Structures are given as C-alpha cells and as structure tokens.
Amino acid sequence: MLVTVILVAGLFSTTLANSLESRVEQLTELSYRSPVIKLDEEKYRSYIRTMPRNYSMVVMFTALSPNRQCKICKEAHSEFTTLAKSHRYSRSFDNRVFFSVVDYDGGATIFQRLKLTSAPVVLHFPASGKRRVEDKFDIERRGIAAEAVAKWVKERAEVVIEVIRPPNYTNAILLGVFLFAVSGTLLLKGNSLDFLYKWKYWAITSMFIMFAMTSGQMWLHIRGAPFAHVDRASGRTSFIHGGSNMMFVAESYIVAVVNGIICFGFILMADAPKDPNNPNSKYMAYGGLGLVVVFFSILLAIFRLKHRAYPYSLLF
C-alpha cells in the first residue's frame, strides 16, 4: 500500500513538472513571436489560473476597439508593448516574467471574474501566493510611461528591465527646420533685426513659457496623461481630474488660460496710472481688478475640486 502511494505521488509530481515545463516552453515560444501575449479565456486559465507556476505574469486589461472610446488605452498599450519588447530583446531576457494583454472584446468574462470595471488596468500575477494590493499598478499616481511600469515590475517581480525606445527623429527634424529658419532670417534680414532688442518680445515669450510650465505641461509630458475622460455610462466628458495626484491635458490648458488672464488683469492695473490724462485709465484699472478677482476665484475653485479639504474661496 505504501509503495503504491509513493508511486502515485511520484507520478503526479512528474505530471505537474511536465505540465509546468510545457507551459513555460509555450509562453517562451509565444513571447518570441510577440513580446505581448494575447490571452483569451482558455489561455488565461492555462497560463495564469493553473498552478503551480514558477513565473510571473504582468497583464494589461484594456479595451482597444474604437467603439469602446478609450483614448488612453491605445497609448497605454503602446507603452506596455515598448516595455515588453525591451524585456524580450534584452540580453538579460529570462522566463521569470511574461507580458500579456486581455482585450475586453475577447475576454469580457475575465474582466467580470476580476471585477474590473474600467480600462486600462495592469495587474501582476506572482509566481507563488495570492495577489496583493501592490500587485495592481497605480496608473493615476504613476502614469502610463514604460519606465514607470518597469520600475513597478522590478518591485513586484524582481526583474530589472531597461526600457529601450526606437529612435525618434521628430525632434532632430524640428531642430533642423528651426536652425534653417533662423539662418534664412539672418541672411535675408541681417540689417533689420532690431526686434530682437525689444524687451516686449522677450517678455511675452517668457510669459508663455511660464504659463506652460506652471500649468503642468512638463508633468503631462512625463506621465503621458490623457486629454480628458469620458464616462462610458453617462457619456459625460470630464476636463478636470478630481484627484490631486493626476491631471488631464485639457486641465492644463484651462489653468494656463486662467493664469494668463489673471496676469493680464495685473498688467492693466499696473499700466492704468501711467497716463492720468487718459480717460480710459479708470476703466482699465477697474477692468483689470475685475479680471483678477473673477479668474482668481475660478483658480481657487479648480484647486478645491482637486483638494476637497481646502477651505478657502473667493466668489465661487
């Protein structure tokens, strides 16, 4: 009897080992074909739900169909693919972690099983043990850039991935066009460049740069935030994010315009006393004051939307 139990246990262990080895070989072969493995219900059950596993799975749940109207999904999938390719084609590639994707149109039951109600979502399925809260990538706080996901993968799967992006010649072309335009201007109008010495041009240029930077343009460029958010249930479009750790591109435009109008109001108030004989000076001062009060109130209202505990307001 004891010999029979030992033989059955050994046969079962061998079967499990062969099954695990077979799954790893299949995943490795699939990753050679495409760094991001597309999962359906059957593959999800085989590669993720079946235990044991000696590998981790990083899965993006997304909705790429145009009918789903998920604007951020395409960009997030592109960054995710860049990360997967960087891992697949690196010299340190191993089979400890695999990257895969589940599209809603081909895996709605998987979304329902995991209780996912939005996309994109990136989850880490560890090699052993249950998923923890940290195994869900915080897109709102970290953004969708491949570098941010790579850092998170290092934390969860202990696999270091150096993100390698394909060469982008856009900046080089734009720089060449700019240098060509400047060179052409100097050649054609070398004797009439007095406008370069006028402080107003430099002041306006500096103000535009300041408005762009203080509105969060650099943060948006780094994080790859969406332009706005469309609620699928109500169809309502949100241009201002309700959290303090995230913002939309449209939100940065709104903040830049509001800051610009406030600045213009201060300029009107500062220039009004310069010519006391001008009958419009009084209207300029009152108009500037009105612009500052109204639009600073709007700025405070936007700040309160993002920081609910902020107690102060002006008009709104």
Side-chain angles (χ1 to χ4, degrees):
M1 182 67 179
L2 180 60
V3 175
T4 304
V5 172
I6 293 175
L7 289 175
V8 171
L11 180 62
F12 182 70
S13 300
T14 304
T15 303
L16 285 178
N18 292 336
S19 174
L20 176 59
E21 184 179 351
S22 175
R23 281 184 284 134
V24 173
E25 289 179 356
Q26 292 173 15
L27 285 169
T28 304
E29 183 179 352
L30 289 172
S31 66
Y32 284 155
R33 297 177 186 175
S34 174
V36 179
I37 302 170
K38 294 182 179 180
L39 297 181
D40 52 19
E41 179 68 31
E42 181 180 353
K43 290 181 178 178
Y44 176 82
R45 189 185 309 111
S46 175
Y47 299 137
I48 294 182
R49 291 178 61 85
T50 303
M51 300 298 287
R53 291 197 315 266
N54 60 358
Y55 57 87
S56 297
M57 293 287 291
V58 179
V59 186
M60 170 172 280
F61 297 85
T62 186
L64 296 174
S65 173
N67 297 329
R68 301 298 175 187
Q69 297 182 353
C70 181
K71 296 181 180 180
I72 191 178
C73 286
K74 184 176 180 181
E75 187 175 356
H77 183 264
S78 176
E79 290 292 313
F80 191 74
T81 302
T82 298
L83 175 62
K85 287 182 177 180
S86 300
H87 176 247
R88 164 63 187 83
Y89 298 117
S90 67
R91 296 180 179 178
S92 59
F93 171 75
D94 56 32
N95 53 17
R96 286 187 298 160
V97 62
F98 296 97
F99 293 86
S100 58
V101 63
V102 176
D103 192 275
Y104 182 81
D105 290 323
T109 55
I110 304 175
F111 273 73
Q112 294 171 5
R113 182 181 296 113
L114 296 173
K115 299 180 180 180
L116 300 177
T117 58
S118 62
V121 175
V122 182
L123 298 180
H124 170 248
F125 294 87
S128 60
K130 295 183 179 181
R131 282 191 300 111
R132 304 170 63 181
V133 176
E134 295 82 3
D135 287 314
K136 180 178 181 181
F137 181 67
D138 192 345
I139 291 180
E140 289 193 359
R141 187 171 62 88
R142 297 195 177 197
I144 60 174
E147 290 79 4
V149 184
K151 183 178 179 181
W152 172 73
V153 170
K154 179 183 177 182
E155 296 170 358
R156 306 311 307 157
E158 298 182 352
V159 175
V160 179
I161 303 174
E162 181 182 356
V163 177
I164 302 174
R165 296 183 179 274
N168 185 0
Y169 299 105
T170 302
N171 293 334
I173 293 174
L174 292 176
L175 179 60
V177 172
F178 174 75
L179 293 176
F180 179 79
V182 171
S183 301
T185 303
L186 292 175
L187 288 174
L188 295 176
K189 295 188 175 182
N191 297 326
S192 58
L193 298 177
D194 294 338
F195 67 92
L196 292 176
Y197 299 97
K198 294 183 178 179
W199 65 269
K200 288 186 178 180
Y201 292 107
W202 294 106
I204 293 173
T205 302
S206 301
M207 288 172 60
F208 272 108
I209 294 175
M210 286 188 292
F211 293 150
M213 295 298 105
T214 56
S215 65
Q217 286 296 318
M218 187 56 65
W219 186 92
L220 293 168
H221 180 74
I222 295 173
R223 295 295 183 95
F227 182 82
H229 174 72
V230 179
D231 191 330
R232 297 193 191 96
S234 62
R236 181 182 176 184
T237 302
S238 299
F239 297 104
I240 298 177
H241 195 278
S244 59
N245 295 323
M246 182 65 179
M247 70 183 305
F248 299 133
V249 175
E251 182 180 338
S252 71
Y253 294 159
I254 294 172
V255 172
V257 170
V258 171
N259 283 335
I261 295 176
I262 292 173
C263 182
F264 179 69
F266 276 111
I267 292 174
L268 287 179
M269 287 191 293
D271 285 346
K274 290 182 178 180
D275 188 4
N277 297 323
N278 186 354
N280 296 322
S281 297
K282 180 172 64 175
Y283 301 107
M284 288 174 58
Y286 288 147
L289 179 62
L291 290 176
V292 170
V293 171
V294 171
F295 283 91
F296 189 73
S297 300
I298 294 175
L299 197 63
L300 286 177
I302 295 173
F303 190 81
R304 284 203 318 278
L305 283 176
K306 302 182 73 63
H307 299 267
R308 304 289 180 176
Y310 189 73
Y312 302 109
S313 63
L314 199 54
L315 296 180
F316 314 113

